[in-house]
Amino acid sequence: MTESADTNAPRQLHPLPRGLVELYGLLAVLFVLVPEWMADGALSSLKPGRVGSALPPTATAWQKVPELRLASMNLRELRELARALRLWGYAGLNREQLTRRMLRKIRSRRGKAL
């Protein structure tokens, strides 16, 4: 009977020492907050006052290769280009179908469409 009485009794948890809790708090600050502050400082020091995008200009390959150029366009731009290419039924196509049909049309014109 003593075993069943021991299993039903609530377990006593030992509290952590105060010094260990403070050490965990210090480690949390060092591993989480300090890198955040460093990243924020690094990002704010990158070319202050710059107007426009911080991304580099697109390479010439993105402008010459039709697949890359179509991949960089949004759906509205794709549909405008499909209209300029006189591609019938483009309004009901999704992005993938539209891109595939436009590439076929561009290749049949030997790449002169873009």
Side-chain angles (χ1 to χ4, degrees):
M1 262 204 193
T2 58
E3 290 179 22
S4 64
D6 290 339
T7 57
N8 292 336
R11 274 181 68 184
Q12 290 289 7
L13 299 177
H14 300 288
L16 290 174
R18 182 179 173 102
L20 192 58
V21 172
E22 289 179 1
L23 177 67
Y24 287 160
L26 179 64
L27 289 175
V29 168
L30 289 176
F31 289 125
V32 176
L33 294 178
V34 171
E36 288 284 332
W37 293 331
M38 290 172 54
D40 186 42
L43 288 176
S44 66
S45 69
L46 291 176
K47 298 183 183 179
R50 181 183 168 132
V51 178
S53 176
L55 298 174
T58 57
T60 56
W62 282 91
Q63 297 171 357
K64 291 182 181 178
V65 179
E67 290 88 353
L68 296 176
R69 186 153 181 206
L70 292 176
S72 67
M73 293 181 171
N74 60 29
L75 191 57
R76 182 184 55 86
E77 292 170 336
L78 286 173
R79 288 186 174 156
E80 288 174 0
L81 184 59
R83 190 164 119 211
L85 290 172
R86 296 181 183 168
L87 191 67
W88 295 102
Y90 65 87
L93 300 176
N94 64 20
R95 181 182 182 87
E96 184 178 320
Q97 294 168 337
L98 184 59
T99 304
R100 194 176 323 120
R101 284 189 59 196
M102 287 174 58
L103 283 173
R104 257 188 276 138
K105 182 89 167 190
I106 290 168
R107 287 182 185 134
S108 70
R109 291 183 172 190
R110 297 181 188 244
K112 296 180 183 176
L114 291 177

